[in-house]
Amino acid sequence: DLSAERRLRCMLEHLVPVEISRVNPDRSVCIFPTSEEYKDIVQVPGDFAKKALLSSRSQYEQLYNEAVTNPDGFWGRVAAGFFWKKLWDTSKPVCNYNFDADKGPIFVEWFKGGFTNVCYNALDRHVLAGHGHELCFLWEGNDPGQSAQLTYSDVLKKVCQVANFLKSKNVQKGDRVCIYMSMIPELPIAMLACARLGAIHSVVFGGFSSESLAGRILDCKAKVLLTCSAGRRGNKLLPLKELADRALEICLRDGNTRVETCLVYDNSFALPREKVPWVEGRDLWWQDNVSQFSVDCPVEWMAAEDPLFMLYTSGSTGKPKGLIHTVGGYMVYAGFTFKHVFDHHPGDIFWCTADCGWITGHTYLTYGPLFNRATCVMFEGVPTFPHAGRWWEIVDKFKVSILYAAPTAIRTLAAQGDEVVRKYSRKSLRLLGSVGEPISPKTWRWYYEVCGDSRCPIIDTWWQTETGACMISPLPGAWPMKPGCATLPFFGVQTLVLDQEGKELHGACEGYLSIKAPWPGIARTVYGDHSRYESTYFKTWKGLYATGDGCRRDADGYIWITGRVDDVLNVSGHRISTGEVEGALVSHPQCTEAAVVGYDHELKGQGIYAFVTLSQQAKPSDALKKELQDIVRKQIGSFASPEVIHWAVSLPRTRSGKIMRRILRKIAARQYTDIGDTSSLSDPSVVEALIKGR
Ligand code: PRX
């Protein structure tokens, strides 16, 4: 198949050779640890280990091996901890799959034949067992003084009302519902209401622009949009309804008018009702309408492999992909990883600081904790508003015992100094987590010593939108940590390190991270484009799942994630496609070409650096720079706007016309003495011109 081969070649070209020479003298950013840091071991604090669910590496190894050699027994036992209306077919393997395109279509199935409901397992099960009075969400608004608490019974009732509302709008099993909201409890409530009915939710992060939202609504053909009047993050107002209106206008222009209902939560803290733009006949106020519906709503029993939700994520090429997660496998994997990775015990107060618009907010703010009857803190604001001690104030207020955050926020807080942290007690904390990007040993140390007073283990959890839940992480209590290291794979996760040719490397090594066999939480397809799923994840390395990340494995078998090996950027933990940013830049009439690379950024991990060539009539200016940044803001969202615009006369290309990003990355990092071989460039003088223009 020629086209498949061409696709594969194109993908291999996209792979960035793993670079081991990234050096940043400041060492606070996501760079490789020094050789001493690889050996830096931090033992699990004794008090923690005594009470941990798992307390030794040998215990882990035994369970890990069982999950690999006897998945039916292992995962069958885990899945039996959930409620199933009908058990999966236990006479057949618990997992059926094909990862090898030569043998036919790629597919993964878990718990085939089983019927269950995710919302039932998150809520009803606990309420029916007499735990309805226990706290489910502790919400803290953007401004101090705004807070709310909801028990499991409260949440169940609200979920049923939203589900009944959706039913009244003819939303049925399999229909798509788009959710575009700020971090208020109604957001996870909306997700759970969809899960109750079997409708597929597609949450779009509130930081995305109207155009991004429209693209996602159109791609999944959503029937209903759930939004709120506005949100507040620090001093910033997010006019979500206004942005949603613009998105729906774009959808209308596209001729796709399927969104007939827009339900709007009146978030009057952020914006008074009378200031909210309104479209009669389409828009309905949440509070006025939903409360009229019954607080009972029967669940839709779903087949294990029915879709649960979709979530868009960026890759190196093309438009964002709507990854589909399914009911049974996601439920089992999200719930089980939550329990073990966070060492969850009854009574814990768990705070995941992620936004529900990303996978972390799905798995560890909503589903995973609720399957375990955890109490979750949900925060609408930002870490530094109205003051830099806000997080620790919240930790003390709610007696948070487990805090799960992104390195970018930790770096921001570290920059404010130790005193603001030490002012607060933080005695309730017992475990700290990190997710979304590499955490440098220096930041890890600060988090451990200052925030956790050297008594709370840190779990550096590596995973992806595609993996559904945690894949590599310390199981706190079971083995010593190393600052900046994700350590070992979760039960049954078979990680491999490959060289450039796809050959498996053994022992201590560095290469491409891939995975050999499916785990229950793996995404099953890309919505509406299964061949894209197959080519993105399963064609790079035959028979294996390609993660898109590079890693190092040290002599202890610990895995250190080194970052993306494709053209995907990770800016403040947000995954951004260079291709998408370039697409937005070249849509400006004066921009003829754009090439976007990442550079080490002290706070954001990576910053966005755009090389731009202009049309002959255009002149570089601050005004034009702002226009280019604004066009990215408008088409994608503020978080994707390039920080640096480098006016380039031309871009370094090979004789076959391919842009040499390797060189651009070096120029962005000011590593001029380390540019490497330029002999294959069609015009090597371009490099000198770019360096002069830096
Ligand atoms: O590069 C890895 C990085 O984030 C990517 C996945 O992004 P996303 O799908 O948005 O999911 C983020 C939240 C799970 C990965 O390919 N990444 C995630 N966690 C870590 C990480 N890089 C290093 N260390 C981590 N702990």
Side-chain angles (χ1 to χ4, degrees):
D1 173 359
L2 251 186
S3 68
E5 199 185 316
R6 209 172 297 138
R7 260 203 320 262
L8 173 61
R9 211 172 316 125
C10 170
M11 244 162 8
L12 286 170
E13 275 182 11
H14 256 289
L15 285 180
V16 179
V18 175
E19 296 172 47
I20 51 169
S21 54
R22 291 169 60 200
V23 181
N24 180 327
D26 164 43
R27 304 202 53 76
S28 63
V29 196
C30 48
I31 46 162
F32 293 103
T34 60
S35 49
E36 300 86 70
E37 280 168 341
Y38 276 115
K39 296 183 204 136
D40 185 13
I41 288 185
V42 177
Q43 295 298 338
V44 179
D47 278 357
F48 187 95
K50 265 187 256 153
K51 296 181 203 139
L53 289 175
L54 214 72
S55 53
S56 73
R57 184 156 170 184
S58 61
Q59 228 181 338
Y60 155 78
E61 274 164 5
Q62 200 185 340
L63 288 165
Y64 178 89
N65 290 335
E66 190 201 347
V68 171
T69 56
N70 176 17
D72 297 340
F74 184 89
W75 290 110
R77 206 166 59 230
V78 175
F82 293 80
F83 177 84
W84 295 80
K85 184 70 177 168
K86 180 173 173 286
L87 222 53
W88 60 98
D89 187 348
T90 48
S91 67
K92 301 224 174 91
V94 72
C95 171
N96 203 3
Y97 76 100
N98 174 39
F99 268 12
D100 184 348
D102 290 348
K103 296 191 180 139
I106 307 291
F107 75 94
V108 178
E109 292 170 349
W110 283 83
F111 312 110
K112 195 80 178 161
F115 278 80
T116 185
N117 182 284
V118 159
C119 178
Y120 186 92
N121 274 282
L123 300 172
D124 304 56
R125 192 166 52 123
H126 310 315
V127 174
L128 290 171
H131 299 289
H133 62 286
E134 292 177 22
L135 286 169
C136 180
F137 288 120
L138 295 167
W139 179 76
E140 173 82 3
N142 180 65
D143 295 327
Q146 302 168 345
S147 54
Q149 53 180 54
L150 293 166
T151 64
Y152 271 85
S153 288
D154 295 336
V155 175
L156 177 56
K157 285 182 195 154
K158 286 178 182 285
V159 164
C160 285
Q161 287 185 314
V162 177
N164 282 325
F165 168 84
L166 291 171
K167 265 166 86 171
S168 78
K169 296 293 164 198
N170 201 24
V171 171
Q172 294 166 4
K173 179 179 164 179
D175 286 339
R176 275 80 52 213
V177 171
C178 186
I179 304 174
Y180 183 60
M181 296 177 83
S182 65
M183 285 292 283
I184 54 176
E186 281 65 25
L187 171 45
I189 285 170
M191 292 159 70
L192 289 156
C194 292
R196 191 166 194 85
L197 299 180
I200 304 169
H201 59 72
S202 166
V203 182
V204 177
F205 172 55
F208 276 114
S209 66
S210 299
E211 293 182 28
S212 290
L213 173 62
R216 285 155 173 78
I217 293 174
L218 289 173
D219 183 69
C220 76
K221 301 180 190 67
K223 215 172 196 174
V224 173
L225 174 64
L226 305 180
T227 187
C228 57
S229 47
R232 290 243 291 130
R233 283 176 63 74
N235 284 316
K236 257 201 245 145
L237 180 80
L238 295 176
L240 292 171
K241 174 60 168 55
E242 194 184 314
L243 293 165
D245 279 355
R246 250 184 266 152
L248 293 179
E249 272 165 35
I250 298 171
C251 295
L252 268 180
R253 256 185 269 139
D254 191 85
N256 191 327
T257 54
R258 275 184 54 95
V259 178
E260 280 144 23
T261 307
C262 179
L263 183 68
V264 188
Y265 187 84
D266 178 6
N267 197 10
S268 51
F269 278 131
L271 193 67
R273 206 183 252 223
E274 57 279 8
K275 293 211 167 145
V276 180
W278 207 248
V279 176
E280 279 309 328
R282 183 198 69 191
D283 300 345
L284 295 169
W285 286 114
W286 189 300
Q287 284 93 328
D288 300 352
N289 286 275
V290 170
S291 57
Q292 293 168 16
F293 285 89
S294 161
V295 294
D296 288 313
C297 174
V299 301
E300 181 78 34
W301 296 109
M302 305 287 288
E305 281 303 332
D306 279 337
L308 171 64
F309 66 83
M310 59 198 297
L311 190 58
Y312 286 86
T313 192
S314 296
S316 24
T317 51
K319 58 183 182 126
K321 303 179 278 280
L323 288 159
I324 289 275
H325 283 283
T326 56
V327 168
Y330 176 82
M331 173 178 81
V332 168
Y333 199 61
F336 187 58
T337 52
F338 175 79
K339 178 168 175 176
H340 284 279
V341 173
F342 295 99
D343 186 58
H344 179 255
H345 287 70
D348 270 324
I349 305 291
F350 175 76
W351 181 16
C352 166
T353 62
D355 192 288
C356 282
W358 308 110
I359 190 71
T360 310
H362 281 59
T363 305
Y364 296 123
L365 197 141
T366 309
Y367 291 115
L370 268 54
F371 293 143
N372 287 279
R373 203 170 18 102
T375 299
C376 297
V377 173
M378 180 178 192
F379 177 42
E380 190 188 21
V382 294
T384 47
F385 178 85
H387 55 83
R390 185 75 192 278
W391 265 20
W392 316 113
E393 193 175 80
I394 296 172
V395 164
D396 285 352
K397 174 174 174 181
F398 292 120
K399 308 263 177 303
V400 171
S401 56
I402 307 171
L403 174 67
Y404 191 38
T408 190
I410 303 165
R411 286 190 295 265
T412 304
L413 293 176
Q416 313 277 331
D418 304 359
E419 271 324 293
V420 246
V421 185
R422 296 221 156 100
K423 246 172 55 192
Y424 297 88
S425 148
R426 293 162 290 110
K427 265 212 188 82
S428 54
L429 286 173
R430 63 178 201 90
L431 180 66
L432 300 171
S434 168
V435 61
E437 28 164 347
I439 180 165
S440 71
K442 181 178 160 190
T443 306
W444 193 103
R445 278 274 173 202
W446 184 81
Y447 197 27
Y448 184 73
E449 286 162 15
V450 179
C451 306
D453 289 327
S454 304
R455 12 168 223 95
C456 310
I458 292 183
I459 44 165
D460 173 7
T461 62
W462 174 84
W463 56 293
Q464 308 176 297
T465 307
E466 292 86 343
T467 69
C470 254
M471 299 291 280
I472 306 177
S473 166
L475 294 184
W479 56 80
M481 301 164 280
K482 289 191 187 183
C485 179
T487 74
L488 299 172
F490 192 71
F491 303 124
V493 173
Q494 299 178 57
T495 48
L496 300 182
V497 186
L498 309 176
D499 70 7
Q500 191 82 41
E501 274 74 51
K503 200 161 77 359
E504 184 180 355
L505 300 170
H506 297 277
C509 57
E510 174 165 358
Y512 300 97
L513 177 64
S514 76
I515 299 160
K516 198 166 140 191
W519 56 99
I522 184 176
R524 305 298 200 257
T525 190
V526 169
Y527 184 79
D529 196 352
H530 192 66
S531 71
R532 192 155 174 222
Y533 171 79
E534 295 184 318
S535 59
T536 309
Y537 306 109
F538 299 96
K539 285 229 168 106
T540 319
W541 318 117
K542 188 175 147 61
L544 302 172
Y545 168 80
T547 64
D549 277 306
C551 73
R552 256 187 191 187
R553 189 168 50 211
D554 69 17
D556 296 316
Y558 279 21
I559 295 170
W560 302 69
I561 304 295
T562 51
R564 298 292 302 194
V565 291
D566 52 12
D567 290 323
V568 172
L569 304 180
N570 193 327
V571 179
S572 301
H574 297 163
R575 190 165 150 178
I576 296 168
S577 147
T578 49
E580 263 188 275
V581 179
E582 288 162 4
L585 290 169
V586 296
S587 72
H588 189 286
Q590 292 178 349
C591 172
T592 47
E593 256 189 330
V596 165
V597 296
Y599 67 100
D600 286 349
H601 187 288
E602 195 171 342
L603 292 179
K604 298 179 175 182
Q606 270 188 310
I608 304 182
Y609 192 114
F611 293 86
V612 167
T613 65
L614 296 176
S615 61
Q616 275 188 335
Q617 312 83 314
K619 291 247 165 349
S621 68
D622 285 348
L624 183 54
K625 176 179 169 185
K626 185 164 178 305
E627 278 178 35
L628 288 166
Q629 288 169 326
D630 282 348
I631 209 162
V632 180
R633 254 180 224 125
K634 185 163 166 281
Q635 289 186 24
I636 307 176
S638 296
F639 62 92
S641 177
E643 240 157 4
V644 185
I645 302 271
H646 184 138
W647 308 113
V649 177
S650 59
L651 298 173
R653 291 184 182 281
T654 60
R655 282 183 203 100
S656 61
K658 199 173 164 278
I659 293 175
M660 283 191 86
R661 287 164 190 281
R662 173 175 62 78
I663 292 178
L664 296 179
R665 274 192 288 271
K666 295 282 183 198
I667 294 171
R670 297 180 191 266
Q671 291 172 2
Y672 310 134
T673 51
D674 190 21
I675 295 280
D677 185 13
T678 56
S679 60
S680 58
L681 288 178
S682 61
D683 176 8
S685 72
V686 168
V687 177
E688 214 172 298
L690 284 173
I691 293 175
K692 278 204 192 119
R694 177 75 168 81

